[in-house]
Structures are given as C-alpha cells and as structure tokens.
C-alpha cells in the first residue's frame, strides 16, 4: 500500500465509529480531524469532500459486515444451516453492534433515503447484494430438496432482511433486545417451516 492509501485507510478506520454513531449528516469535519489527529488539509488531500469520506466509510462498514456473515455462513453445509447462521449472527452480536451505533446498513438507509442522495446508490447496492446472497442460498436449498420448489426465493430474501433490519431498529430505539429476538424468531420460523420442504 502507498502512503496515500495508508492515510486514506487510517482516516476511514478512525472515523467509521463516529459516522455510525453520530450519523453521516451529523459527523462534522471537526469530528474527522479530532478522530484522526490530521488537519483539514490532510483530510482534503485524500478525499475531495466529507461526502467522499462518508461513502468510503459506508463501504468499509458493509465490507466488514459482509466478511463476518461470510465467516458464519461458510461454516455451514446445508442451506438451512447457512440461513440460520445468518440470523444467529445477529442474535449473538447484537450487543456489540448496538454499542457501535447499530447496523450500518440500517443507519445509512434512514439517512440516505431523503437527506443524503449521494449515499443512496451504495445503500441500495448493499441491500440488493444481501438479498442476492440469501436468494442464492434459498435456490441452493430448492435444488438440494431442502426447500419447497414453488417458493419465491427473492420475496423470502427480502422478508428475512426486513425482519432483521426492522428488529434491529425497534430493539435499538426502545432499548429492548426482545424485539430483535422476536423478529429473528419469526425469520427462523420462515426458514424452518414456511420454506422448508
């Protein structure tokens, strides 16, 4: 990695927790300089503006989340096991996630919808990629005979994402982890009963 790439990576890693807790709109250039110990000139020498930092931070967050999900899914052989590992990840890691500001996809979704159009495309891509991953697992389960052949894998993928993200949002805003666990229970019921052959 070049010195410029190292500096960019440093800025992203140091500011990622701030963007996730304060929000993309709420994070100021001063927050960025304080977190990194760099001057405004150094920040703007590596990024065109704060929006570019925000996009890089969002991509960093979603890349980390994707890698963690890959790890838990990768240890499973069956399609059912892979989907259950995904819900299990959120059941096991909710506290750490909440301490870091919540789910980066959810947080960015709320802000990007109306206030940060420059981030919207990245969030849409993340959600599509997540749905594609779940759809692929469901299709794999259909082929192996684990899941019913006539189910709509795409619809069920988005249902599972909705339950996970909705559960995170409700649990975080009400400070009640039961609401997340209840949503995960529902997602697991879909996996074990509704789509299972």
């Amino acid at each position: 990695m070049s010195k410029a790439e190292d500096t960019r990576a440093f800025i992203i890693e140091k500011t990622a927790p701030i963007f996730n807790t304060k929000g993309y709109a709420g994070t100021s250039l001063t927050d960025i300089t304080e977190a990194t110990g760099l001057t405004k000139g150094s920040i703007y020498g590596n990024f065109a503006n704060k929006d570019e930092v925000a996009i890089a931070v969002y991509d960093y967050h979603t890349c980390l989340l994707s890698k963690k999900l890959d790890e838990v899914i990768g240890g499973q052989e069956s399609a059912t096991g892979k989907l259950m590992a995904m819900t299990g990840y959120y059941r096991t890691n909710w506290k750490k996630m909440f301490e870091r500001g919540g789910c980066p996809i959810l947080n960015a979704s709320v802000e990007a919808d109306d206030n940060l159009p420059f981030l919207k495309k990245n969030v849409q891509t993340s959600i599509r990629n997540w749905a594609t991953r779940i759809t692929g697992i469901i299709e794999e389960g259909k082929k192996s005979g684990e899941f019913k052949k006539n189910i709509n894998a795409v619809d069920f993928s988005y249902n599972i994402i909705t339950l996970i993200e909705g559960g995170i949002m409700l649990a975080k805003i009400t400070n009640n982890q039961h609401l997340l666990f209840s949503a995960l229970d529902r997602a697991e019921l879909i996996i074990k009963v509704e789509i299972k052959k």
Side-chain angles (χ1 to χ4, degrees), residues 1-68:
M1 236 193 254
S2 69
K3 187 173 180 188
E5 289 170 328
D6 283 342
T7 304
R8 279 179 65 91
F10 173 77
I11 293 167
I12 292 165
E13 288 172 23
K14 288 292 184 183
T15 60
I18 299 165
F19 276 100
N20 206 43
T21 53
K22 291 187 85 172
Y24 290 85
T27 299
S28 67
L29 185 56
T30 301
D31 293 324
I32 295 169
T33 57
E34 286 177 0
T36 60
L38 299 173
T39 64
K40 290 179 184 180
S42 293
I43 303 297
Y44 286 138
N46 288 280
F47 294 93
N49 51 43
K50 191 186 97 170
D51 293 354
E52 195 175 286
V53 180
I55 290 168
V57 164
Y58 176 76
D59 291 343
Y60 169 80
H61 274 301
T62 55
C63 183
L64 282 180
L65 179 59
S66 184
K67 283 180 183 174
K68 288 175 184 172

Side-chain angles (χ1 to χ4, degrees), residues 27-195:
T27 299
S28 67
L29 185 56
T30 301
D31 293 324
I32 295 169
T33 57
E34 286 177 0
T36 60
L38 299 173
T39 64
K40 290 179 184 180
S42 293
I43 303 297
Y44 286 138
N46 288 280
F47 294 93
N49 51 43
K50 191 186 97 170
D51 293 354
E52 195 175 286
V53 180
I55 290 168
V57 164
Y58 176 76
D59 291 343
Y60 169 80
H61 274 301
T62 55
C63 183
L64 282 180
L65 179 59
S66 184
K67 283 180 183 174
K68 288 175 184 172
L69 289 174
D70 282 344
E71 286 171 18
V72 297
I73 291 168
Q76 302 295 320
E77 301 221 358
S78 70
T80 303
K82 289 175 184 178
L83 294 179
M84 294 295 287
M86 188 178 292
T87 58
Y89 171 81
Y90 288 94
R91 195 179 293 278
T92 305
N93 293 286
W94 71 271
K95 191 170 185 180
K96 225 183 283 181
M97 185 180 285
F98 283 19
E99 286 168 355
R100 294 179 184 153
C103 176
I105 296 173
L106 175 64
N107 292 346
S109 294
V110 172
E111 283 193 271
D113 185 35
D114 293 316
N115 299 319
L116 304 174
F118 68 88
L119 193 55
K120 193 169 189 171
K121 184 179 173 190
N122 295 62
V123 177
Q124 289 171 336
T125 300
S126 297
I127 293 168
R128 266 195 309 274
N129 289 344
W130 192 6
T132 299
R133 173 188 282 185
I134 297 172
T135 299
I137 294 169
I138 294 173
E139 291 294 347
E140 176 189 318
K142 287 166 73 171
K143 284 180 189 162
S144 71
E146 278 181 74
F147 299 149
K148 297 170 186 166
K149 296 272 187 212
N150 63 341
I151 60 170
N152 186 317
V154 174
D155 286 350
F156 277 108
S157 297
Y158 281 104
N159 287 339
I160 290 168
I161 291 170
T162 300
L163 285 163
I164 291 170
E165 293 295 350
I168 290 169
M169 185 268 298
L170 288 172
K172 184 131 180 23
I173 196 68
T174 62
N175 199 30
N176 182 354
Q177 79 181 53
H178 170 74
L179 297 176
L180 170 59
F181 285 13
S182 177
L184 293 173
D185 288 344
R186 178 70 185 108
E188 289 170 358
L189 189 67
I190 288 171
I191 296 161
K192 293 188 282 190
V193 176
E194 291 185 32
I195 66 174

